């Protein structure tokens, strides 16, 4: 390998740029301090992909994706994090006395020499996209960073003056601050939806909920619990001295260039206060109705429902099934400067431009019911109620829908049809329901198979029976690879059951029909059940038959 060949020479050799291009870029580099490659890309002279392949060809190095390697902890330990960040390089594996290292710039001879001297191994460089290397560094060194911060705190606590304990939780370079920042950054990097910080008898455990399942990140000494709780309470503007009752709060956290709303719940336990932090991303693209996974016929039904002048649209499903995201996508779809749209939520999960948003506060008696009464005096056209939890909220919502308002809300039921029975249980009369219900949508989230490691095999006879199929079909199987953390799944997708309340369904509701009768009519009118929606995902290879069984029972 011609390891001493510089990036400029490589790009000129490949005919991508000229000598004069390199000269002017090098002058800019002296003044700006930017990388040569970034300057050339910024000037539009070359793309990152072209650079990658030019270096690969000229230096005869492999082009790799770090996500496709299962990097062992002992391999990471060979290279100090300081060097990894300095040279944008990450060790992948040791093989025959050689250390394979993914680098954003394998033409950097001095970097290769530094890594060789630090690790004691012959370095076999490989090239990878810069963002992939940086992501991999954050992902793999992050856990070690959190452990080191916790250990630093433990060592410092041995000699610390007890009177200085409270001030340390606000000092930027304090070990407890570094520990929390690392835990939060890792959660963002791993696309976690929740962080669980759980005190035990002897250890503090940190777990992330990723794709619906909890995964342990680390265990550390219990001595760090009190400063961690204090620090989180300060960030969430909560009462530090109160440890006997639950507290809820929130704060905005910036991880790199990403802003994340962190929702905090703290409850007292037998070993100390347990914290759950929910991560609420601010990515507006998540709220696009077209990206949620509805079929064309379902989108047509929803379009009719959300453009009605009045009525009630409910979304049902368990906690964490994406109901709020779907509701917000509806609000985004109908948002219009000519309409007064008001929401009352617990809590406000996304900030929507042009929408008047309110948050309930049970401590001062500001509930969904009291808030909804106030909203109706604010001349609204559309009202989003975070959740129909009780009979009072249900009754006010139904009567608001009856008097010319369009109401969006969520409710905890298992299917679209059973929502009607739930509202009857809340003592809402049938004639009111039949007059106001515009539609009900039930949804769940299923895990998607990892595209890198999934394999397709023929369905067995029992699987074909479960899928109601007679013909042979190939099904995706979850295998597991480094990219998906050996789980076989990566990301989630929603499955839906959209029941539009047409005249026939309204007549059944008014007549007191059962769930089964309402569901049978809805299916005959074209409604696809949750199970059928999930079966379609299994057949198209998006998810597995195990997810079908887990999600739709």
């Amino acid at each position: 390998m011609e390891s001493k060949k510089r990036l400029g020479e490589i790009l000129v050799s490949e005919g991508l740029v000229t000598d004069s291009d390199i000269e002017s870029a090098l002058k800019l580099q002296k003044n700006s301090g930017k990388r040569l490659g970034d300057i050339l890309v910024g000037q539009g002279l070359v793309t990152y992909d072209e650079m990658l392949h030019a270096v690969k060809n000229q230096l005869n190095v492999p082009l790799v994706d770090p996500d496709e390697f299962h990097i062992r902890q002992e391999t990471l330990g060979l290279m100090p994090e300081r060097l990894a960040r300095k040279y944008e390089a990450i060790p992948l594996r040791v093989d025959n006395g050689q250390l394979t290292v993914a680098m954003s710039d394998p033409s950097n001879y001095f970097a290769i020499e530094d890594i060789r001297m630090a690790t004691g191994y012959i370095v076999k460089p490989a090239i990878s996209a810069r963002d992939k290397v940086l992501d991999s560094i954050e992902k793999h060194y992050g856990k070690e960073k959190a452990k080191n911060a916790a250990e630093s705190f433990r060592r410092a606590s041995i000699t610390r003056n007890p009177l200085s304990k409270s001030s340390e939780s606000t000092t930027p370079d304090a070990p407890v601050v570094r520990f929390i920042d690392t835990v939060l950054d890792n959660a963002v990097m791993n696309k976690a939806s929740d962080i669980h910080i759980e005190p035990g008898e002897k250890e503090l455990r940190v777990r992330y909920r990723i794709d619906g399942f909890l995964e342990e990140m680390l265990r550390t000494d219990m001595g760090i619990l009190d400063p961690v709780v204090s620090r989180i309470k300060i960030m969430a503007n909560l009462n530090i001295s109160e440890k006997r009752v639950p507290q809820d709060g929130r704060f905005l956290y910036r991880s790199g260039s990403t802003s994340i709303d962190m929702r905090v719940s703290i409850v007292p336990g037998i070993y100390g206060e347990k914290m759950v932090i929910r991560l609420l991303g601010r990515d507006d693209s998540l709220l696009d109705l077209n990206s949620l996974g509805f079929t064309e016929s379902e989108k047509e039904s929803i379009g009719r429902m959300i453009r009605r002048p009045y009525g009630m649209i409910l979304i049902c499903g368990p906690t964490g099934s994406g109901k709020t995201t779907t509701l917000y996508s509806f609000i985004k779809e109908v948002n219009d400067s000519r309409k007064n749209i008001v929401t009352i939520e617990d809590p406000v999960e996304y900030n929507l431009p042009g929408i008047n948003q309110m948050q309930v506060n049970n401590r001062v008696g500001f509930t969904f019911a009291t808030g909804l009464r106030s909203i109706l005096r604010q001349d609204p056209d559309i009202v989003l109620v975070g959740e129909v939890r009780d009979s009072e909220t249900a009754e006010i919502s139904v009567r608001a829908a009856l008097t010319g308002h369009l109401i969006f809300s969520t409710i905890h039921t298992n299917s679209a049809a059973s929502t009607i029975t739930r509202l009857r249980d809340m003592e809402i009369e049938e004639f009111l329901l039949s007059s106001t219900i515009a539609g009900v949508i039930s949804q769940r989230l299923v895990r998607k198979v990892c595209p890198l490691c999934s394999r397709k095999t023929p369905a067995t006879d029992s699987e074909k029976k479960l899928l109601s199929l007679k013909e042979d079909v190939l099904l995706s199987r979850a295998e597991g690879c480094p990219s998906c953390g050996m789980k076989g799944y990566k990301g989630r997708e929603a499955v839906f059951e959209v029941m539009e309340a047409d005249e026939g369904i309204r007549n059944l509701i008014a007549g007191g029909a059962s769930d089964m009768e309402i569901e049978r009519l809805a299916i005959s009118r074209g409604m696809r059940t949750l199970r059928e929606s999930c079966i379609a995902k299994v057949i198209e290879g998006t998810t597995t038959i195990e997810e079908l069984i887990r999600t739709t029972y």
Side-chain angles (χ1 to χ4, degrees):
M1 184 193 75
E2 299 176 73
S3 56
K4 293 187 182 182
K5 205 166 189 178
R6 308 302 293 169
L7 179 61
E9 297 174 66
I10 290 171
L11 298 177
V12 171
S13 298
E14 287 286 303
L16 295 172
V17 294
T18 64
D19 287 321
S20 60
D21 290 332
I22 297 297
E23 267 184 53
S24 60
L26 286 171
K27 287 177 185 175
L28 282 173
Q29 188 184 32
K30 284 181 182 177
N31 297 325
S32 67
K34 290 183 179 179
R35 292 156 47 103
L36 178 64
D38 291 338
I39 292 170
L40 293 170
V41 171
Q43 292 178 329
L45 297 171
V46 67
T47 67
Y48 275 116
D49 274 349
E50 286 172 336
M51 276 200 297
L52 284 174
H53 285 90
V55 174
K56 171 184 177 292
N57 295 337
Q58 287 283 316
L59 299 185
N60 193 27
V61 295
L63 176 62
V64 300
D65 182 347
D67 279 347
E68 296 180 13
F69 289 79
H70 183 46
I71 305 174
R72 298 179 177 276
Q73 201 61 39
E74 53 266 32
T75 306
L76 281 174
L78 294 172
M79 185 190 298
E81 183 182 352
R82 172 185 57 81
L83 276 187
R85 293 187 184 279
K86 180 180 179 181
Y87 294 124
E88 294 178 358
I90 187 161
L92 301 177
R93 66 184 177 206
V94 175
D95 191 25
N96 295 326
Q98 290 186 320
L99 178 65
T100 301
V101 180
M103 306 177 70
S104 64
D105 182 12
S107 67
N108 188 338
Y109 173 74
F110 298 106
I112 293 170
E113 274 299 292
D114 265 8
I115 295 169
R116 182 187 66 78
M117 292 178 69
T119 62
Y121 282 90
I122 296 169
V123 175
K124 182 181 176 184
I127 189 167
S128 181
R130 186 187 182 207
D131 58 341
K132 288 186 176 292
V133 173
L134 294 177
D135 284 351
S136 193
I137 289 170
E138 291 297 336
K139 181 178 176 181
H140 289 94
Y141 282 99
K143 185 182 288 190
E144 200 61 34
K145 189 176 176 183
K147 286 181 179 177
N148 291 340
E151 180 59 24
S152 296
F153 173 84
R154 190 191 66 79
R155 288 196 301 268
S157 65
I158 297 171
T159 56
R160 182 175 62 234
N161 179 350
L163 296 176
S164 68
K165 184 176 180 179
S166 60
S167 65
E168 284 193 7
S169 60
T170 58
T171 307
D173 60 347
V176 67
V177 175
R178 294 202 306 272
F179 173 80
I180 290 168
D181 286 350
T182 304
V183 168
L184 297 178
D185 287 336
N186 279 355
V188 174
M189 176 64 61
N190 285 281
K191 295 182 172 59
S193 61
D194 300 87
I195 305 166
H196 290 241
I197 301 175
E198 305 164 324
E201 187 176 2
K202 296 179 180 178
E203 291 181 308
L204 182 70
R205 179 172 66 168
V206 179
R207 295 192 290 172
Y208 293 159
R209 188 175 293 280
I210 301 172
D211 292 341
F213 287 81
L214 283 170
E215 297 179 19
E216 187 171 305
M217 179 204 176
L218 62 85
R219 288 174 182 263
T220 189
D221 190 86
M222 271 289 287
I224 201 171
L225 175 64
D226 286 343
V228 166
V229 173
S230 295
R231 174 63 180 166
I232 295 293
K233 284 181 177 178
I234 289 168
M235 294 169 78
N237 198 26
L238 299 175
N239 186 348
I240 301 176
S241 60
E242 181 57 77
K243 298 185 178 183
R244 301 163 298 173
V245 297
Q247 295 190 69
D248 295 320
R250 66 189 304 160
F251 61 91
L252 183 66
Y253 183 76
R254 192 164 185 83
S255 178
S257 60
T258 307
S259 292
I260 306 288
D261 280 315
M262 302 281 184
R263 192 173 81 192
V264 180
S265 171
I266 302 178
V267 297
I270 58 172
Y271 297 116
E273 291 176 282
K274 178 186 185 296
M275 291 178 287
V276 175
I277 303 170
R278 171 152 289 186
L279 284 68
L280 302 169
R282 295 187 151 197
D283 185 358
D284 202 41
S285 66
L286 294 173
L287 310 180
D288 183 5
L289 185 62
N290 293 316
S291 67
L292 294 181
F294 291 109
T295 64
E296 287 303 316
S297 63
E298 287 171 343
K299 278 193 282 189
E300 286 175 14
S301 292
I302 289 166
R304 288 191 294 269
M305 286 190 270
I306 65 178
R307 284 176 176 81
R308 286 177 54 143
Y310 66 89
M312 191 171 181
I313 300 166
L314 293 169
I315 300 181
C316 64
T319 301
S321 59
K323 300 187 297 296
T324 303
T325 299
T326 303
L327 266 189
Y328 279 7
S329 73
F330 292 175
I331 289 289
K332 185 180 177 185
E333 194 75 13
V334 297
N335 192 4
D336 188 321
S337 60
R338 295 169 298 177
K339 294 177 181 175
N340 179 19
I341 303 175
V342 188
T343 77
I344 177 165
E345 307 167 63
D346 184 20
V348 174
E349 295 196 7
Y350 296 92
N351 295 323
L352 301 174
I355 307 297
N356 304 290
Q357 296 177 270
M358 302 159 57
Q359 183 164 315
V360 302
N361 187 341
N362 292 314
R363 284 178 290 184
V364 296
F366 184 44
T367 63
F368 279 120
T370 56
L372 188 50
R373 284 196 189 94
S374 300
I375 286 173
L376 295 177
R377 293 193 286 271
Q378 291 281 314
D379 183 33
D381 297 293
I382 299 171
V383 179
L384 184 154
V385 183
E387 185 183 340
V388 176
R389 292 179 179 172
D390 51 54
S391 299
E392 189 179 12
T393 307
E395 184 179 354
I396 299 168
S397 299
V398 166
R399 292 197 178 277
L402 197 63
T403 53
H405 303 89
L406 186 60
I407 306 293
F408 296 151
S409 192
T410 69
I411 191 167
H412 286 286
T413 55
N414 289 326
S415 67
S418 65
T419 299
I420 306 302
T421 300
R422 177 78 180 109
L423 291 169
R424 285 178 186 146
D425 291 342
M426 292 181 174
E427 300 178 352
I428 307 298
E429 296 176 84
E430 274 94 355
F431 78 91
L432 290 175
L433 286 177
S434 64
S435 302
T436 56
I437 291 292
V440 184
I441 298 162
S442 180
Q443 73 177 74
R444 301 286 188 277
L445 292 176
V446 296
R447 291 183 297 169
K448 298 191 292 184
V449 287
C450 173
L452 294 177
C453 64
S454 66
R455 61 186 177 90
K456 287 186 176 285
T457 61
T460 64
D461 290 340
S462 60
E463 287 173 336
K464 285 194 288 186
K465 186 177 179 181
L466 195 62
L467 298 172
S468 303
L469 292 175
K470 291 182 179 177
E471 66 275 13
D472 291 335
V473 66
L474 293 175
L475 301 181
S476 293
R477 311 289 181 183
E479 289 289 294
C481 69
S483 177
C484 61
M486 308 308 293
K487 297 189 295 287
Y489 297 94
K490 199 170 187 180
R492 290 189 291 176
E493 190 163 298
V495 291
F496 299 97
E497 182 176 277
V498 179
M499 185 179 82
E500 185 179 2
D502 60 15
E503 186 179 356
I505 287 174
R506 287 199 296 271
N507 287 337
L508 284 181
I509 294 171
S514 67
D515 298 355
M516 294 297 292
E517 291 173 297
I518 295 171
E519 185 170 270
R520 274 198 296 269
L521 180 60
I523 291 170
S524 72
R525 300 286 173 88
M527 182 185 82
R528 189 168 69 160
T529 66
L530 276 173
R531 189 173 183 79
E532 289 168 340
S533 180
C534 197
I535 284 173
K537 301 282 185 193
V538 172
I539 293 172
E540 71 185 27
T542 302
T543 190
T544 63
I545 202 155
E546 288 77 19
E547 279 295 283
L548 167 69
I549 296 166
R550 182 185 69 83
T551 310
T552 64
Y553 315 104

